[in-house]
Amino acid sequence: MRRALYSAALFIALPVTLVYLLWRSRRQPEYRLHWFERLGRFQPRSNGQPLIWIHAVSVGETRAAQPLVNALRKRYPDHQLLFTHMTPTGRETARELYPQALRSYLPYDFPFAVRRFLDAYRPAIGIIMETELWPNVIAAARQREIPVLLVNARMSEKSARGYRRLASLTRDALGDLTAIGAQSEHDREALTALGAPAVTVTGNLKFDVTLPENTDAQAQALRALIGHRPSWVAASTREGEEDLLLDALALTGSGSLLVLVPRHPQRFDEVAQLLARRDVNYQRRSANQAVDARTEVFLGDSMGELHRYYGATDVAFIGGSLKPFGGQNLIEACALGKPVLLGPYTFNFAAAAQLAIDCGAAIRVKDARALAIEVKRLLAAPDERARRGQAALEFARAHRGATTKTMAMIEAALDAAAAASGSGMGSSRPQGRESRLPPG
C-alpha cells in the first residue's frame, strides 16, 4: 500500500517533472534527449552475456566508480557493464571513462518503467553508488531475485531528513537491499537509524581513484601556460560562490592568480559574464593561450581537467562549501599533495573533511574573508605549503582499500545467487535472504 501511494504521487507529479526537464534544457539541451529511457522504453539486449548494472546519478558518482569498474573488469571479464544516470553530465562522463560500457538513464520510479528496464537489460546484479534509493526499482529487483547493493554509501543529515519524511518506504527499500557498504562509521549509524538491517563500513572508493599516468606532465604544461606567479584554484564552485571568491581575490592582494573552475559546464558562460560585469581581467582555458601578467582570473571552462588544475596551482579551495551545498570531493586535491581549504559547509564529505583537518591536510575557514586571509598566508609560506601538502599525500594514501572490501561484498552476492539458482555466474538470487516471490 505504501509503495502504491508513492507510485500514485509520482504519476501526479509527472507533468511537473517533464516541465522541469524542459526548464533544465534551456541551459543544457541534452536534457531534451532520451526521454523514452526515463519513461521505461528500451531496446532489449540481443546477447546473453551476463550484465553488471551500476547506477551513478551524476559526475561525482560516475568518477568514484573507477576503481570498482577496474576491479570488476578484472574479476568478471566476461560480463558486460551498464551505467545508468539521472543527469546528462553523468552520462557523458561515463561515455568518456567507460566507452565499452552500455549507458542509459535510469527510468523514473514508475512500476511499469522499472519492469521494462529490468526486462530489457536482465542484470545479474545491481550496484547503486552512494545515496540514491528508489523503492520500486529495489522492490522489483528483489521480486526477480536480482541482488542489489548500495556501495560507497553516504548519508548526510540533509539527506537523512528527506528520507525520514518517507520513513516506511525508506526502511522497506533498505531492507530489500542485499548488502550495504558505507563510507564511514557516521554513515553506517545514519543508515542504521533509517532502518538498514546490516551495514558494513567499507571506506570511500574515492581514495582508490588513480590519477592518469601523465598527470605530472599535464600539470606542468598547464603551469607553463598560466605562468609561475603564486596561484590558487577554486574547484567545483557552485551558484553564488563566485561572487564571494572574487571578493576574496580582492583581499589577497595583487600578484596572485585565481584559477576558477565552476562545477557545472552549463555555468561557464554565466561565470564569464559575472567576471565581465565585475570588471575582472580574465582569460578562458578554452582559448588555450598563455596567461597575461595582468590577468586576475583564469576561468577553467573545461571538463575532465580538475587534476591538472590542482597540479598546476599552489593551494586548493574546494567549492560547494562557502554556501550550504555540502562541499565537493577534496580527495583528489589531497592525492596531488596540495594544501586544502574548506568552507563551513562540508556535510556531503563530513568524515573525509574532518579527517583531513585533523591530520593537517586541510584548513576550514568560516567565510570568504577568512578564505582570503588563509590564501594570502599560504601563498607566502612555502614551507607550510610543503608540510601540509605532505600531510595531504599521507592522508590520501592512508585511507585506501575500499575497493577490496566492496568487491568482497559483490563477489559474495553473485556467488550466493549462482549457488541458489544452480546455474553459472550471472544468476541473481540475493545472498542470505529468502525469496519474496508470491506463492504460486
Side-chain angles (χ1 to χ4, degrees), residues 69 73 80-83 94-95 97-103:
V69 167
R73 283 174 169 164
Q80 190 169 40
L81 295 182
L82 164 69
F83 268 86
R95 186 191 66 79
L97 295 179
Y98 320 113
Q100 295 179 334
L102 301 175
R103 293 174 299 281

Side-chain angles (χ1 to χ4, degrees), residues 38-361:
R38 296 185 186 273
L39 297 175
R41 297 292 299 274
F42 303 92
Q43 290 295 326
R45 287 196 304 142
S46 59
N47 63 47
Q49 188 178 9
L51 182 139
I52 295 173
W53 158 44
I54 301 172
H55 178 62
V57 59
S58 194
V59 175
E61 295 83 356
T62 306
R63 291 192 177 279
Q66 281 183 278
L68 185 60
V69 167
N70 292 338
L72 287 168
R73 283 174 169 164
K74 183 176 181 179
R75 176 66 178 84
Y76 302 109
D78 296 331
H79 284 55
Q80 190 169 40
L81 295 182
L82 164 69
F83 268 86
T84 59
H85 312 277
M86 300 303 292
T87 69
T89 49
R91 187 178 184 131
E92 176 61 19
T93 300
R95 186 191 66 79
E96 294 173 356
L97 295 179
Y98 320 113
Q100 295 179 334
L102 301 175
R103 293 174 299 281
S104 171
Y105 287 124
L106 186 68
Y108 292 131
D109 206 24
F110 301 112
F112 73 89
V114 169
R115 288 194 299 269
R116 289 173 177 174
F117 169 75
L118 295 176
D119 286 342
Y121 287 110
R122 306 183 307 279
I125 190 170
I127 301 169
I128 300 174
M129 295 288 298
E130 297 202 3
T131 307
E132 291 213 340
L133 295 175
W134 295 103
N136 284 330
V137 168
I138 295 170
R142 177 61 182 252
Q143 188 177 40
R144 294 168 185 242
E145 302 184 323
I146 300 169
V148 177
L149 285 67
L150 181 65
V151 307
N152 212 43
R154 59 183 175 90
M155 186 59 63
S156 68
E157 179 53 36
K158 180 180 178 181
S159 295
R161 283 197 301 270
Y163 282 119
R164 281 197 293 269
R165 295 190 186 101
L166 300 170
S168 297
L169 274 174
T170 298
R171 184 172 57 252
D172 290 346
L174 289 169
D176 278 340
L177 292 167
T178 303
I180 303 173
Q183 293 185 14
S184 69
E185 180 63 26
H186 169 81
D187 297 309
R188 187 195 69 79
E189 291 174 357
L191 286 159
T192 301
L194 288 171
V199 182
T200 302
V201 177
T202 52
N204 192 335
L205 288 169
K206 292 177 180 177
F207 283 104
D208 293 348
V209 174
T210 56
L211 298 168
E213 293 181 1
N214 58 347
T215 292
D216 287 342
Q218 291 177 341
Q220 289 172 14
L222 185 57
R223 183 73 186 200
L225 192 69
I226 67 175
H228 291 277
R229 58 176 152 149
S231 59
W232 57 293
V233 59
S236 299
T237 59
R238 303 285 299 273
E239 296 87 345
E241 288 191 314
E242 291 86 8
D243 257 320
L244 299 176
L245 289 164
L246 294 179
D247 293 340
L249 176 64
L251 296 172
T252 60
S254 61
S256 65
L257 177 71
L258 168 59
V259 178
L260 183 57
V261 188
R263 168 73 172 168
H264 298 117
Q266 62 268 29
R267 297 190 60 244
F268 291 160
D269 290 341
E270 173 188 322
V271 175
Q273 292 167 9
L274 170 66
L275 293 168
R277 285 198 308 272
R278 293 194 51 159
D279 200 25
V280 174
N281 289 323
Y282 76 97
Q283 291 177 237
R284 298 179 72 139
R285 165 63 171 135
S286 56
N288 199 33
Q289 296 176 348
V291 175
D292 189 272
R294 295 168 297 178
T295 295
E296 301 167 273
V297 173
F298 186 62
L299 177 58
D301 59 344
S302 62
M303 292 290 290
E305 289 196 304
L306 200 52
H307 62 288
R308 301 188 193 189
Y309 294 123
Y310 286 137
T313 51
D314 301 307
V315 176
F317 166 72
I318 308 301
S321 63
L322 274 180
K323 283 184 168 287
F325 294 108
Q328 302 297 335
N329 178 22
L330 71 155
I331 296 169
E332 188 173 13
C334 290
L336 281 159
K338 299 299 173 179
V340 168
L341 297 172
L342 303 169
Y345 304 104
T346 55
F347 49 80
N348 286 337
F349 297 87
Q354 191 57 54
L355 287 169
I357 291 168
D358 291 344
C359 74

